[in-house]
Every structure is written in structure tokens, then in C-alpha cells.
Amino acid sequence: MAETPGVVRITDVAALAGVSPSTVSKALNDTGSLRPATRARVREAAERLGFVPDAQARSLSARRSFTVGLLSTDSAGRFSLPVVLGAENALVGGQISALLATARHDPVREQHHVRSLVARRVDGIIVTGRTTDPRRPIQVPMPVVYAYSPSQDPQDASVVPDDTAGMAAVGRHLLSLGRTRVAYVGGRADQAASTLRHAALAATLAERGVTLVGEPLFGEWSERWGRLAVDLVLGDHSPGEPLPVDAIAFASDQLARGGCDRLRDRGVRVPQDVAVTGYDDWDVMALASRPPLTTVDPQLDRLGQRAAELLLAAIDGRPAHGTELSPPRLVVRGSTAGDT
Amino acid sequence: MAETPGVVRITDVAALAGVSPSTVSKALNDTGSLRPATRARVREAAERLGFVPDAQARSLSARRSFTVGLLSTDSAGRFSLPVVLGAENALVGGQISALLATARHDPVREQHHVRSLVARRVDGIIVTGRTTDPRRPIQVPMPVVYAYSPSQDPQDASVVPDDTAGMAAVGRHLLSLGRTRVAYVGGRADQAASTLRHAALAATLAERGVTLVGEPLFGEWSERWGRLAVDLVLGDHSPGEPLPVDAIAFASDQLARGGCDRLRDRGVRVPQDVAVTGYDDWDVMALASRPPLTTVDPQLDRLGQRAAELLLAAIDGRPAHGTELSPPRLVVRGSTAGDT
DNA sequence: GGAAACAAGGAATCCGTTTTCCGTACCGTA
DNA sequence: TACGGTACGGAAAACGGATTCCTTGTTTCC
């Protein structure tokens, strides 16, 4: 109904309610001592005018900007985007606005953004990146929380996805299906996401005395490599012969989708002959794959939310230290379950 | 080298340079009349201390916040994200910061965000959405530019992708390859992206006296529907028989990828037997498809950039009116070209 | 009837940059 | 040497609206 006119100031509300500006402030902030009737009258006047206190003026008094920076090293890509959104979502609840700053892997741009955020006197900064590999910390005079990409300084507050738990869940799931001849296909060999997931899978299987089939295969994060890796795993296997594996765990949904495609090309049934798992729960891959992928949802929005919580606590004088693990969630679908 | 210390104020720079704060201001802003030597001395002092003028104080004087809001109706998804990033990128050049506000299709959240942006006295707002269908305008006392989703009010400034030009390019491309029996597969029938692209393709072919094969097929924006649509186009065709079409234009890369998969399943060669085109140039679809897709890149980052330019001009007192079309770009790949 | 609690207003406060004046020093000319 | 003009730099006032003391009425309870 009432639309936001030009600009409504506290004096306008005061005039309408027939009180002074200071009374309006007390009424709207639940401070001071006022008659309930007055409070209500002011509230109604503010509502009617669509009054929203000027953030600049407020931060003048509060000595805070009620703003945090979201610094994305990445161009807010597939991984940092959910984190950023989760964080923004959590901040809105705390009446805090989010300044977006994307650096696109350029240190100069990043430095520029950092300066800009400092100039804006943000109350804190959330730093996100493209990979789970540790990154160089930033130097600023306000609290910082690192999300997804942890800081190299273990004293800094970081939140990272618990890949170990995620891949362990995959391992247990495969064992529960009776699969014991499992191969692992990773992405780039120099990235934590590849190596950590491999280690977690190997360790989980080892608890039941099961060892991975062959060496872990590392390559790149593409469907293409997923297809190639399947060829490497199957070797010169031809239809009818016994298969060297009964499950393949891929380190990403993209790899797994490529893998499924190749398995189907070669006449291997998924999941009857070989169970397949992915990682990331990236819908356009996991759901479009034939069959749909059993995978791990790293719940990056929750991770971003958690980072925001830690940042708000730090701004509030209760800083956290060290790296926190954000829990993933196993999602079972047709590539292991049999039913669609 | 020099790291940002606690907080550097203009007085600190003044003290180090041995001048007054006002002189520092003049030196750094190239105003007033100062000896070049003084200017240089101040500049060096500011550099050494890593001085960045407090944005709040600056906006106090300038009566501007040097901030714009990026309001995304969508949760900054696949389409609005590139727009947002393009806009943010362009704003950085203009020394302007971007406040991120995502509404996730919730009118209440959107209203909340709009109020918050008004309270922050942003200099302007860029509104983006999930589809190219017109949306209800927002009521705020500052300039607004609509990007991707235009405003329902034709007087508002909007920038939308030129789907007509994009699909026309596809049509000309197919004709240039000698394909004349073309079918069209769209997404949801109630969305402009489906209908507009169909109309553009039909019109372009009609210029050369070519009509589309069969009725346009509408369904949903999924690979699954792409596969189904191919079955509908081919009917009960079996290998060896003449094909009813020599090209299929899909309204998205996702549809086209599903289509390619089904064509291959059914033994139809792409592009020799049937040429396939997509739309969006979404790398994970267009490049992962076998063969890679000829498609249209709507250049959404440029669209966002353009929206930012229009907004900056409007803030500067030169408002634009009406809907501007942002040009797409045809990307030719293996699904029509023959070579990979 | 007096003291304490309560209500509401007036005016100072918050902040650091920008900008408007104004004073000084220096130069060239008379 | 005196004077006017100009170049340079400084002092102090804006800039802006919400918040918060502190003060002054006003009620209420004993």
C-alpha cells in the first residue's frame, strides 16, 4: 500500500506522531522509557510513512557500518557462489548488508577490492575461493573469516567442507551394498579435493580390510577425463567377461557423468555391474546423468551461513580461531541404488 | 610491501607530509592550486601509509554514497549471475561498490531488500531476474536499470538479450550450410525465451522461402525433454531410411545436449545427418556435448556491463528510457561444422 | 504533600573528508 | 622601497540524520 516516497526522515515521523525525534528513536529501538501508547503511535506513524532509518547516520552513532565484504577470489563460480549466497542470506537476518567484490584470480584486483572494503569501513570480511587449497591471508584491521578456501595461517578462522566425512560416507555406502572391488578416479592431482577424497575413501575401505583396485587415477575435472578413466579401469574388457571392479568412486559429478556415459557405451550396466558415485551434488550433472548419480552434497550454502555466523560473532567480540569442518550429506540415487 | 595498518586518516598523511588536511585533500583530488612539489610529497606520504579516504565521510560531503544495489529476484542463478558479475565489474571502474541483495523469488524478501537499499542511500539499483519475461517495476527514489528481466513499464530503462538477433544468426547459419528441413525445440511454452526464439527462427527461414518442419515443440528446460523431443521429431524412423529433418534448432544448450545424446543413441550422425544448435553457450553443456555444440552466446556479462553504464549515466543526470537490446554472438562448433 | 519514578523534549554528539574562504609570502613593476 | 596581484596553503565550517545524554515537566504512590 504505502509506497516509499522521496526520503522519509525521523523528523517526518516525529511530526506525524506529534512527538520529538528523540522519542521516535526510543520508540523504534525499544530504549528509554515511554508510554506504550506513545510507542504504538510512533510505530504506526513510521509504518505509514515507510520510514527506514538512514544507515549512514546510524553507523555514525554506532561506530559500525553494518556492512560486511564478500571477497571472492574466484569470479563467484560454481563453488564460491553458493557460499556467497548462504552468507548473504545469514547476514540479512542480522540487519547487515553485503558488499560484493570479485577478484577473478587477479591479485591486483583483489588488493584493490580489499582497499575499497577497508575504505568503506566494513565490519568484517568473508573470503571465498575456487578450491579447498589454503590461500594467503589478507591483512586488514577487521575480522575475517575464510570460507571454502582456508587461510594458510591456522590461527585465522576458516570454514571448509568436510571432504573426509563425505567420502567416508560414500565408502560406507558402497560397502553396505556389498561392493568390495572399488576404483577411485580423481581430478587434478595437485588439488586437495582430489587427494583428500582419495585418502578418505582408502581409509574407510581399509577399516573393513578392503583395498582400492589399482592406483588412484588423477587427471582433470572434466567429463572427458571421466570417460577416459573408465577406459583405463576397464582395460580391454569385453562384454561377458568378468569385470575388474564392481564400483567406481569419482571425485566429482562431472567425472562421474562422463564415466556413466562411457560405461553405457561399453555395455556395462550401472548400477547392476558397476556402481558409480559422484561428488558435489551439482544438479545439472547429477540429475541429468543416466542413471542419476549417488553423490555427496557439500551443503555449501550452510557452509557460507556458518562463515557468516562466525564473522558476526567475531564482530561481536567473540572471535573464532582455527579451521572448522562443515558437514556434507550423502545423496543416494540410481547410480548405486538400483531404483531410479 | 606497505601493509594497511589499523586505520590511516587524512590527518596522518598531513602530519607525515608536513601540511594541513585540506592540502592533502587538494593534492589527492587534483583540486585547488598547489605546487607540484607539494602535491608529489603528499602523494608519496599517502602511498607510504596506504591511505584510503573514508568512504562514509566522503559520501557525507559528496551527498552520494558511491554505492549501487544489485537486486537479484533470482538467487543469482545461472542467468542473473553473469549479469551481476558484468555489472559489478563495470562499477568497480567507476569507483563504485556493489551491494548484493538476492530475493529468491520471495516478494517479501524483495521488499525488505529494496528498503534496505533505500536506507543505505544507494545511488542507483540494477534489477535482474531469472527470465526475460517482463517484471513489475520497483518504486524507489533513485535511478533503476532493469537487466535481463525488463520492466513492465516501457518508460523504465531496461537491457535485455537480443534473442531475435541470436536465433536469426542460427537460422542464417543453418541455411548457409544448405539445411532446409529444420525443426525447432523450445522449453516452457509460457516463456518469452521459447516463443521469441521460435518466431525469430521461423521469420529468418521464411525470408528464403523455407518453413519449419512440423509444429514447434515446447516442453521444459531439461536434457530429458531434449531427448524426448528428438523422438517426437524422428518418429518411428529407423536407420537407413531418409530422415524427416536435416537440422534441429534447440532453444537451450541443455535441450541440445539431450538431443545429441538421443540422436547418437538412435544411430543418427551429428552433424552429417542432422545439424544441431543450442543456445546460451553454457560451457559445461556446450563443450561436454558430443559433438560440442554450435550455440549462441548471449554475452550476459556485457549485458550487465551495459546496464551498469546506463545506471552510471542516469546517476550522472542522463537517464535512459526504454528497452535496449544487447547483442549475442554465434559460436560455431562441431554440432554443425563437421570438424571438431 | 513530598519524593520517587516516569515521559518526553532540547541539544550535543558521532565521524573524517571536502570546501569555502582568508592570510601570507613572493614576485614584478612603479 | 612600496604596492598590487597572484600563487600557495591553512583554519574552520559544512556535510547528514539518528542517537543519547541531560534536563524539565508530570504522574503516582505512600
Side-chain angles (χ1 to χ4, degrees):
Chain A
M1 353 244 110
E3 289 306 345
T4 355
V7 169
V8 181
R9 280 179 292 273
I10 200 171
T11 51
D12 301 323
V13 178
L16 180 60
V19 296
S20 73
S22 46
T23 302
V24 175
S25 176
K26 289 173 205 162
L28 297 181
N29 294 311
D30 268 332
T31 56
S33 66
L34 298 177
R35 277 205 305 263
T38 309
R39 233 178 256 280
R41 189 153 40 92
V42 171
R43 286 237 173 84
E44 204 208 333
E47 185 70 24
R48 187 123 68 94
L49 295 177
F51 170 70
V52 185
D54 183 303
Q56 303 217 54
R58 165 178 279 188
S59 59
L60 205 55
S61 287
R63 259 158 288 218
R64 288 188 40 186
S65 64
F66 297 101
T67 302
V68 309
L70 297 181
L71 179 64
S72 173
T73 309
D74 187 8
S75 311
R78 183 152 60 83
F79 297 117
S80 52
L81 177 65
V83 176
V84 164
L85 291 180
E88 191 249 357
N89 195 28
L91 292 170
V92 168
Q95 297 280 6
I96 299 217
S97 292
L99 279 172
L100 181 65
T102 64
R104 337 200 145 185
H105 308 294
D106 180 349
V108 176
R109 280 179 69 95
E110 180 173 311
Q111 187 56 29
H112 175 84
H113 277 303
V114 168
R115 289 208 167 188
S116 172
L117 292 176
V118 171
R120 286 223 133 74
R121 304 288 187 263
V122 293
D123 297 332
I125 299 179
I126 292 177
V127 178
T128 69
R130 187 172 47 95
T131 71
T132 52
D133 298 289
R135 55 153 288 149
R136 187 161 28 78
I138 61 174
Q139 296 294 322
V140 292
M142 61 260 308
V144 178
V145 173
Y146 298 82
Y148 200 72
S149 298
S151 167
Q152 280 165 354
D153 183 345
Q155 278 303 298
D156 289 336
S158 303
V159 188
V160 298
D162 191 348
D163 277 7
T164 301
M167 211 52 173
V170 167
R172 286 193 301 273
H173 175 62
L174 291 175
L175 288 172
S176 77
L177 296 171
R179 311 285 169 137
T180 54
R181 288 169 298 132
V182 182
Y184 172 82
V185 176
R188 281 174 51 175
D190 61 339
Q191 295 189 334
S194 284
T195 53
L196 212 61
R197 291 171 194 177
H198 167 247
L201 180 62
T204 304
L205 297 182
E207 285 174 14
R208 303 280 166 76
V210 175
T211 50
L212 282 171
V213 173
E215 289 300 304
L217 298 170
F218 296 108
E220 52 176 48
W221 299 106
S222 68
E223 290 186 52
R224 190 182 143 76
W225 165 239
R227 292 194 295 265
L228 286 174
V230 163
D231 286 336
L232 294 176
V233 169
L234 295 185
D236 55 359
H237 166 269
S238 46
E241 292 180 17
L243 288 154
V245 296
D246 56 17
I248 308 179
F250 292 88
S252 85
D253 289 345
Q254 236 175 323
L255 296 173
R257 178 171 186 183
C260 280
D261 282 349
R262 180 63 98 218
L263 287 169
R264 195 174 53 254
D265 290 347
R266 295 187 57 164
V268 177
R269 294 172 306 167
V270 176
Q272 294 88 337
D273 301 330
V274 173
V276 167
T277 63
Y279 209 104
D280 294 337
D281 196 27
W282 189 16
D283 54 0
V284 298
M285 288 293 143
L287 294 179
S289 174
R290 287 179 287 168
L293 297 173
T294 289
T295 185
V296 175
D297 177 4
Q299 305 191 100
L300 296 181
D301 50 344
R302 278 189 52 177
L303 189 154
Q305 218 168 310
R306 182 63 187 145
E309 287 169 17
L310 290 178
L311 185 63
L312 291 179
I315 291 170
D316 218 46
R318 305 188 310 278
H321 297 284
T323 297
E324 184 174 312
L325 297 174
S326 181
R329 192 172 57 94
L330 181 71
V331 180
V332 177
R333 297 205 184 89
S335 70
T336 61
D339 57 71
T340 313
Chain B
M1 356 239 114
E3 290 306 341
T4 355
V7 168
V8 181
R9 282 180 291 271
I10 200 171
T11 51
D12 301 323
V13 179
L16 180 59
V19 295
S20 73
S22 48
T23 302
V24 175
S25 175
K26 289 171 201 162
L28 298 181
N29 294 312
D30 269 332
T31 57
S33 68
L34 298 177
R35 271 205 309 260
T38 309
R39 235 176 255 281
R41 192 152 39 93
V42 171
R43 287 235 173 86
E44 203 208 334
E47 184 70 23
R48 188 124 67 95
L49 295 177
F51 169 71
V52 185
D54 183 303
Q56 303 217 55
R58 166 178 279 186
S59 60
L60 203 56
S61 284
R63 263 160 282 224
R64 285 188 44 185
S65 65
F66 297 101
T67 302
V68 309
L70 298 179
L71 179 65
S72 173
T73 309
D74 186 8
S75 314
R78 185 151 59 85
F79 297 118
S80 52
L81 176 65
V83 176
V84 165
L85 292 181
E88 191 248 358
N89 195 28
L91 293 170
V92 168
Q95 297 280 5
I96 297 211
S97 293
L99 278 172
L100 180 66
T102 64
R104 341 199 142 186
H105 309 293
D106 180 349
V108 176
R109 282 180 67 96
E110 180 173 313
Q111 187 57 28
H112 175 84
H113 277 303
V114 167
R115 289 207 168 187
S116 172
L117 292 175
V118 171
R120 287 221 131 73
R121 303 289 187 265
V122 292
D123 297 332
I125 299 180
I126 292 178
V127 178
T128 69
R130 189 171 47 93
T131 72
T132 51
D133 297 290
R135 55 152 290 151
R136 186 160 30 77
I138 61 173
Q139 296 294 323
V140 291
M142 62 261 308
V144 178
V145 174
Y146 298 82
Y148 200 73
S149 298
S151 167
Q152 281 165 353
D153 182 346
Q155 279 303 299
D156 290 335
S158 303
V159 187
V160 299
D162 191 348
D163 277 7
T164 301
M167 212 52 173
V170 168
R172 286 194 300 274
H173 175 62
L174 291 175
L175 287 173
S176 77
L177 296 172
R179 312 285 170 138
T180 54
R181 288 170 297 134
V182 183
Y184 172 82
V185 177
R188 282 175 50 176
D190 61 340
Q191 295 189 334
S194 284
T195 54
L196 212 62
R197 291 170 194 177
H198 167 247
L201 180 63
T204 304
L205 297 182
E207 287 174 14
R208 304 281 166 77
V210 175
T211 49
L212 282 172
V213 173
E215 288 300 305
L217 297 171
F218 296 108
E220 52 176 47
W221 299 106
S222 68
E223 290 186 52
R224 191 183 143 76
W225 165 240
R227 293 194 295 265
L228 285 173
V230 163
D231 286 336
L232 294 175
V233 170
L234 295 185
D236 55 0
H237 166 269
S238 45
E241 293 179 14
L243 288 155
V245 297
D246 57 16
I248 307 178
F250 291 88
S252 85
D253 289 344
Q254 237 175 322
L255 296 173
R257 180 174 183 180
C260 279
D261 281 349
R262 179 62 97 220
L263 287 169
R264 196 174 54 252
D265 290 348
R266 295 187 57 163
V268 177
R269 293 171 307 166
V270 177
Q272 294 88 340
D273 302 330
V274 173
V276 168
T277 63
Y279 209 105
D280 294 337
D281 196 27
W282 188 17
D283 53 0
V284 299
M285 287 293 142
L287 294 178
S289 173
R290 288 179 287 167
L293 297 172
T294 289
T295 186
V296 175
D297 176 4
Q299 304 190 103
L300 296 181
D301 51 343
R302 278 188 51 176
L303 190 153
Q305 217 168 308
R306 182 65 188 144
E309 287 169 18
L310 290 178
L311 185 64
L312 291 179
I315 291 171
D316 217 44
R318 305 188 310 277
H321 296 285
T323 297
E324 184 174 314
L325 296 174
S326 181
R329 192 172 57 93
L330 182 70
V331 180
V332 177
R333 296 205 186 87
S335 70
T336 62
D339 56 71
T340 313

